[in-house]
Amino acid sequence: MSTDLTAEGGHGAVPTGPEVPVEPKASTARRDWPLYEVFVRGKRGLNHVHVGSLHAPDDEMAVHAARDLYTRRNEGVSIWVVRSADITASSPDEKDPMFAPNGDKVYRHPTFYEIPENVPHM
Amino acid sequence: MSAPTLDRPAAPDEAALQAHFDAVIAAGHRIEPRDWMPEGYRQGLIRQIAQHAHSEIIGMQPEGDWLLAAPSLRRKAILLAKVQDEAGHGMYLYSAAETLGADRADLTDKLIERRQKYSSIFNYPTLTYADVGVIGWLVDGAAICNQVPLCRSSYGPYARAMIRVCKEESFHQRQGYELLMTMMAGSDAQRAMVADAVDRWWWPSLMMFGPPDDDSPNSAQSMRWGVKRHSNDELRQRFVDMTVPQAAVLGVTLPDPELALDPATGRYRFGPIDWSELKAVIAGNGPCNAERIARRRAARDDNAWVTEAATAYASKHAA
C-alpha cells in the first residue's frame, strides 16, 4: 500500500505526498478575473456577513455568481460583493497586537461598576 | 535613542512564530489566513483542500450522467439540485484554498494534467438509476462521516466551508435513501437493481476513508495540527456502525459475509478490504479515470470562449 494516501479531503482517499505539486503558477486569461469577497444579509434586521469569495469579470457578474453560489437555499435577502484587493485589514498576528491597548480599559465595561443590589433597573 | 519613524521590526523570529502557532492550535483556536503558519501546514492544507475541491467537481459527473435519463420530473429536479450543490461545494473549497495563496485556475490545470488527484470513488461508473440512490446513501454518507469532523478543522476558512458543505450533504444522503426506499417498494427488477448497486458501491465506499491507520503515516502530523480530527479506521468504523442498521431498514444485504455485531464493543466487525483495488484506481486504472479527466478538460477548453467574452465585455465597460 502506498504511504502517501489520506482521506482527509472528505470525499475519500487521495494521495497527499510531497510529489503532489501545490506551488502557485503564473496567470493566464481566466485568471485575470478579480477575486471578490461576498457578504450576505441573512434576513432583514441582520448585518451582512462574510460567506466566502469568488472570481468574476465585473461587479454585476459577481453579484449574480454570488447569488447562485451562496444563496441556493434562501440564505439571504441581500448581497454585497467587494473586490478583495480593495479591502484593507489589520494583521491578526502582529507581535504587538493593535487591540492590546483595550485590554486594560476594564472601566469601559458595565461590570466594572459595583452597584448595590437594591438599586432597581440597573 | 533611535529615530522614531525609522524603527522597523526585526526579522521575524521563526521560533517565536512557531510557538505562537502551536499555542493557538493547542488552545483549540482557529488559524486564519493572514496568520503565520509553518510551510508544511500551508502546503498540506492546499493539497488537501484542492483535492477535496477536485472531488466535488469531478463528483458531478457520475450522477450528471443521469440528468437526461431521470425517471420523473421530480427525480430530475432533485438530481439537478444535488449536482449543482456539488459544484457549489467545489467553489467553497477552491475559495478556501485561495486564502492560502493557491490560484483556482491553476489548481484546475493541475487536476486536468493529473498532477493532483480526486477521490477514487468517482472513477466508478453509474450503471443504473439505483446507483444515484446508492451514491447518495453510501458515498455521501461516507463523505459526511469524513466531513463532519472537518467542521472543527484548525484552519478557519476550511472549517467554515465544511460547515456549509455538511448542511447540504444531509439533503444528498436523504434523497438517496428515499430513492432507494421507493425502488425497494417497487418491482422485483427494481429491487434487483438496488441490490446490484449496493454490491458494487459498498467496498469502494469503505475505501473512501483511506488506508488503515498503520499504513497512513501522514495522519499523525495532520492530527497534531488539528487539520484532521479522527483516524481513517475510526471514521470507517463509524460509517459501518451507522450504515448497517440503515441497510436493515431498507431491506438490502451488504456484500460482506463477515459483517457482524461484536457484542463486546457494540460495533460491527467487517471483512478485509482489497487495498490493491484502491491503489489501482488511484494510480489511474479505475473504470472511468480517463473519461472523468477528459470531460473536465473539455469543460475548461470548450467553454473558454464564454469566459473570454465576459472578460472582453468587462474591460470594454470598465472605462
Side-chain angles (χ1 to χ4, degrees):
Chain A
M1 191 63 218
S2 166
T3 56
D4 55 358
L5 298 176
T6 180
E8 290 142 25
H11 254 304
V14 290
T16 57
E19 78 287 354
V20 181
V22 293
E23 73 285 356
K25 190 174 139 187
S27 291
T28 59
R30 167 68 205 269
R31 292 156 188 140
D32 295 338
W33 286 12
L35 186 66
Y36 285 84
E37 301 297 329
V38 180
F39 301 77
V40 171
R41 184 198 294 285
K43 57 181 183 181
R44 289 178 177 278
L46 299 180
N47 289 319
H48 287 77
V49 174
H50 183 247
V51 292
S53 67
L54 51 80
H55 289 269
D58 59 36
D59 297 356
E60 190 185 346
M61 289 291 285
V63 171
H64 287 297
R67 170 217 173 255
D68 289 346
L69 185 55
Y70 290 106
T71 62
R72 287 195 301 283
R73 290 180 175 78
N74 292 323
E75 290 94 335
V77 296
S78 168
I79 294 172
W80 288 349
V81 295
V82 58
R83 287 194 186 204
S84 307
D86 290 340
I87 293 179
T88 305
S90 64
S91 181
D93 227 17
E94 282 166 347
K95 278 189 85 178
D96 182 20
M98 69 189 289
F99 306 104
N102 295 323
D104 58 359
K105 294 180 177 58
V106 288
Y107 46 83
R108 283 177 173 166
H109 297 278
T111 47
F112 179 75
Y113 303 95
E114 287 204 17
I115 306 291
E117 295 265 342
N118 59 358
V119 179
H121 306 306
M122 191 166 291
Chain B
M1 194 172 156
S2 59
T5 56
L6 295 179
D7 268 347
R8 301 294 302 166
D13 176 354
E14 186 105 348
L17 291 168
Q18 178 78 51
H20 180 65
F21 173 87
D22 292 342
V24 171
I25 298 280
H29 294 157
R30 298 286 186 270
I31 302 298
E32 293 294 344
R34 300 178 70 216
D35 290 341
W36 181 91
M37 59 190 83
E39 201 49 29
Y41 180 85
R42 180 189 301 276
Q43 299 290 320
L45 268 171
I46 291 176
R47 220 173 266 131
Q48 175 173 331
I49 297 172
Q51 286 166 340
H52 191 167
H54 296 333
S55 299
E56 300 282 358
I57 296 300
I58 296 291
M60 289 192 280
Q61 293 188 30
E63 293 175 286
D65 284 342
W66 283 96
L67 281 172
L68 297 179
S72 69
L73 189 56
R74 178 175 182 271
R75 291 294 169 195
K76 186 172 188 167
I78 292 168
L79 190 55
L80 264 174
K82 181 174 188 255
V83 172
Q84 190 186 28
D85 273 355
E86 306 295 359
H89 296 177
M91 295 300 120
Y92 305 157
L93 288 158
Y94 285 128
S95 168
E98 284 192 308
T99 66
L100 292 157
D103 177 276
R104 195 177 305 217
D106 175 49
L107 295 176
T108 295
D109 290 348
K110 288 199 173 84
L111 167 67
I112 290 170
E113 292 158 13
R114 300 185 184 225
R115 297 165 64 210
Q116 286 184 340
K117 304 281 186 177
Y118 54 90
S119 173
S120 57
I121 195 80
F122 300 116
N123 290 314
Y124 293 89
T126 41
L127 303 181
T128 73
Y129 209 73
D131 289 42
V132 172
V134 170
I135 287 177
W137 174 39
L138 295 182
V139 175
D140 291 319
I144 290 170
C145 277
N146 265 333
Q147 290 171 344
V148 166
L150 293 173
C151 295
R152 295 185 295 112
S153 170
S154 63
Y155 187 58
Y158 191 28
R160 292 192 286 273
M162 292 318 304
I163 289 170
R164 298 186 73 87
V165 168
C166 285
K167 275 187 194 162
E168 299 178 355
E169 289 286 354
S170 176
F171 143 58
H172 297 179
Q173 192 188 24
R174 290 172 67 104
Q175 66 82 31
Y177 196 81
E178 189 238 35
L179 190 165
L180 295 176
M181 287 201 307
T182 306
M183 289 187 79
M184 289 302 286
S187 65
D188 285 345
Q190 286 176 309
R191 277 186 289 276
M193 262 187 241
V194 173
D196 170 61
V198 169
D199 283 352
R200 282 182 288 109
W201 288 94
W202 172 249
W203 290 107
S205 298
L206 294 190
M207 293 173 200
M208 286 176 66
F209 296 92
D213 293 346
D214 53 14
D215 196 9
S216 183
N218 294 325
S219 292
Q221 178 63 73
S222 192
M223 287 175 79
R224 269 197 300 280
W225 274 334
V227 173
K228 178 177 174 149
R229 296 290 185 183
H230 305 285
S231 76
N232 295 353
D233 285 336
E234 168 58 23
L235 290 168
R236 185 166 17 246
Q237 183 66 56
R238 282 189 194 185
F239 173 68
V240 172
D241 292 342
M242 272 173 32
T243 306
V244 172
Q246 294 170 351
V249 175
L250 198 55
V252 299
T253 305
L254 298 170
D256 180 359
E258 296 181 39
L259 196 61
L261 186 65
D262 182 342
T265 61
R267 313 194 87 177
Y268 286 89
R269 285 191 296 250
F270 51 94
I273 295 171
D274 177 8
W275 294 115
S276 64
E277 177 179 331
L278 176 65
K279 201 174 175 184
V281 174
I282 285 179
N285 300 317
C288 301
N289 295 57
E291 178 189 334
R292 302 292 186 234
I293 291 294
R295 193 185 291 185
R296 183 66 191 88
R297 179 188 296 276
R300 180 192 64 178
D301 296 346
D302 298 351
N303 299 328
W305 69 272
V306 179
T307 55
E308 283 161 20
T311 305
Y313 180 89
S315 48
K316 193 173 171 183
H317 288 80

